[in-house]
């Protein structure tokens, strides 16, 4: 009986510490959201990830033309507790977790703008190229429960091309806490007149060169969007990811001759190797 009791205590202790270790491993991500890249696996210090994605997307905002495009994926990250500094693609930034419910993110990003050649059908001829711009992106998410099942999200993008903001609600599927699984966000998007006209406005000079009517947009409601993100570890080093995005434009945006479609859409899939 004494041996049996000792054996039972050992088994219970082993089960407890195994579950504790598993929980610690599962909680390695800064937040358990697939849309928030975290390649550190819960360890402080440097993390490197490199990959490639393929996107099928609208040729430009408001376009009814679609095409495939290859894009690099991954990031260089440095983690210190609840803070991660990162360089990813064309963005340099920081994100931090506060009080387990607030996620803050600040980044300087680069916007390539739009070129006349983005339309194979020549719909942008005479409009010229929109300017490239450096933007400041500020974002926050607030968890509505302990395990980030639901959250509120807000984002502001500001730069030389104007200002854009969004506010919405997100939901995470599954129970993974390591940043894998899937999530969905529904957001309302707003822009000021400068941002709106940079994408959909037509000046008098552009009108004369293109033959399209002069168009000037006011600021306000831009669109409603829905975004789905998926992420899965194939093994310790390889990760597969996917994303689907749909943005339905407001009536004001749809009245622009540049908006040949009522929406913008994108589907992407790719692989990342974590060093």
């Amino acid at each position: 009986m004494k041996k049996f009791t000792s054996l039972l205590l050992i088994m219970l202790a082993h089960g407890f510490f195994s579950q504790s270790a598993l929980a610690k491993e599962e909680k390695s991500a800064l937040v358990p959201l697939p849309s928030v890249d975290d390649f550190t696996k819960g360890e402080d210090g440097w993390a490197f990830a490199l990959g490639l994605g393929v996107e099928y997307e609208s040729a430009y905002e408001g376009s009814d033309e679609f095409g495939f495009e290859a894009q690099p994926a991954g990031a260089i990250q440095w983690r210190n507790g609840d803070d991660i500094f990162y360089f990813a693609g064309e963005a340099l930034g920081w994100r931090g977790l506060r009080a387990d419910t607030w996620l803050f993110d600040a980044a300087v990003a680069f916007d390539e703008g739009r070129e006349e050649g983005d339309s194979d059908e020549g719909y942008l001829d005479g409009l010229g190229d929109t300017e490239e711009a450096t933007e400041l992106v500020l974002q926050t998410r607030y968890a509505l429960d302990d395990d980030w099942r639901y959250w509120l999200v807000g984002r502001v993008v500001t730069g030389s091309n104007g200002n854009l903001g969004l506010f919405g609600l997100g939901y995470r599927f599954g129970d993974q806490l390591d940043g894998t699984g899937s999530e969905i966000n529904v957001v309302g998007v707003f822009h000021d007149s400068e941002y709106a006209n940079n994408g959909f406005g037509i000046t008098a000079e552009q009108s004369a060169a293109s033959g399209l009517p002069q168009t000037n947009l006011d600021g306000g409601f831009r669109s409603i969007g829905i975004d789905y993100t998926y992420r899965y570890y194939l093994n310790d080093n390889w990760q597969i990811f996917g994303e689907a995005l749909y943005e339905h434009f407001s009536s004001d945006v749809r009245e622009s001759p540049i908006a040949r479609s009522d929406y913008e859409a994108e589907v992407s899939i790719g692989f990342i190797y974590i060093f």
Side-chain angles (χ1 to χ4, degrees):
M1 182 66 178
K2 186 176 181 180
K3 291 183 177 180
F4 175 79
T5 303
S6 300
L7 180 60
L8 180 60
L9 289 174
I10 292 173
M11 292 176 64
L12 290 173
H14 180 268
F16 172 80
F17 288 114
S18 296
Q19 291 297 322
S20 299
L22 179 59
K24 183 178 181 180
E25 181 180 353
E26 287 182 341
K27 294 181 179 179
S28 61
L30 188 64
V31 288
L33 303 182
S35 63
V36 181
D37 294 339
D38 184 353
F39 304 120
T40 65
K41 298 182 179 180
E43 298 180 1
D44 286 354
W46 291 100
F48 303 89
L50 182 64
L52 183 68
V54 177
E55 300 176 349
Y56 182 71
E57 60 181 349
S58 305
Y60 56 90
E61 291 184 338
S63 174
D64 58 358
E65 303 170 65
F66 288 81
F68 289 96
E69 184 177 2
Q71 290 284 354
I76 300 173
Q77 299 177 339
W78 185 78
R79 181 168 181 171
N80 181 24
D82 288 335
D83 297 281
I84 293 180
F85 298 87
Y86 62 89
F87 175 70
E90 298 175 335
L92 178 66
W94 158 86
R95 63 176 61 105
L97 180 66
R98 297 295 181 268
D100 293 328
T101 55
W102 286 97
L103 177 67
F104 298 98
D105 197 316
V108 176
F110 179 73
D111 182 8
E112 296 179 351
R114 187 189 66 209
E115 300 180 356
E116 282 191 13
D118 288 343
S119 173
D120 293 335
E121 300 296 330
Y123 296 135
L124 300 176
D125 291 353
L127 297 180
D129 301 340
T130 61
E131 294 183 1
E132 300 174 344
T134 300
E135 301 174 328
L136 176 63
V137 183
L138 303 174
Q139 179 175 241
T140 183
R141 303 195 195 193
Y142 175 70
L144 299 175
D145 52 10
D146 293 337
D147 61 355
W148 285 84
R149 179 69 59 194
Y150 300 91
W151 63 89
L152 300 176
V153 58
R155 182 188 304 164
V156 174
V157 180
T158 182
S160 58
N161 289 334
N163 304 288
L164 176 142
L166 65 80
F167 180 79
L169 177 68
Y171 175 79
R172 181 172 67 92
F173 300 92
D175 298 317
Q176 300 96 320
L177 299 176
D178 60 355
T180 63
S182 61
E183 70 175 70
I184 192 168
N185 292 268
V186 178
V187 299
V189 187
F190 303 83
H191 55 196
D192 64 12
S193 59
E194 185 177 4
Y195 198 99
N197 285 293
N198 182 70
F200 297 101
I202 300 174
T203 65
E205 182 181 358
Q206 290 174 323
S207 176
S210 66
L212 298 174
Q214 185 174 346
T215 303
N216 185 63
L217 280 73
D218 296 325
F221 179 63
R222 169 191 171 94
S223 61
I224 185 168
I226 184 168
D227 177 73
Y228 174 82
T229 303
Y230 173 81
R231 195 175 298 274
Y232 178 74
Y233 278 105
L234 298 173
N235 54 39
D236 289 340
N237 298 103
W238 283 100
Q239 185 182 97
I240 184 174
F241 67 91
E243 184 176 13
L245 170 68
Y246 178 85
E247 182 182 9
H248 191 82
F249 296 124
S250 68
S251 57
D252 288 344
V253 172
R254 296 199 302 268
E255 290 177 358
S256 168
I258 295 176
R260 300 184 60 85
S261 176
D262 294 345
Y263 66 91
E264 180 181 3
E266 174 186 326
V267 178
S268 63
I269 188 171
F271 294 88
I272 293 176
Y273 183 83
I274 303 172
F275 294 88

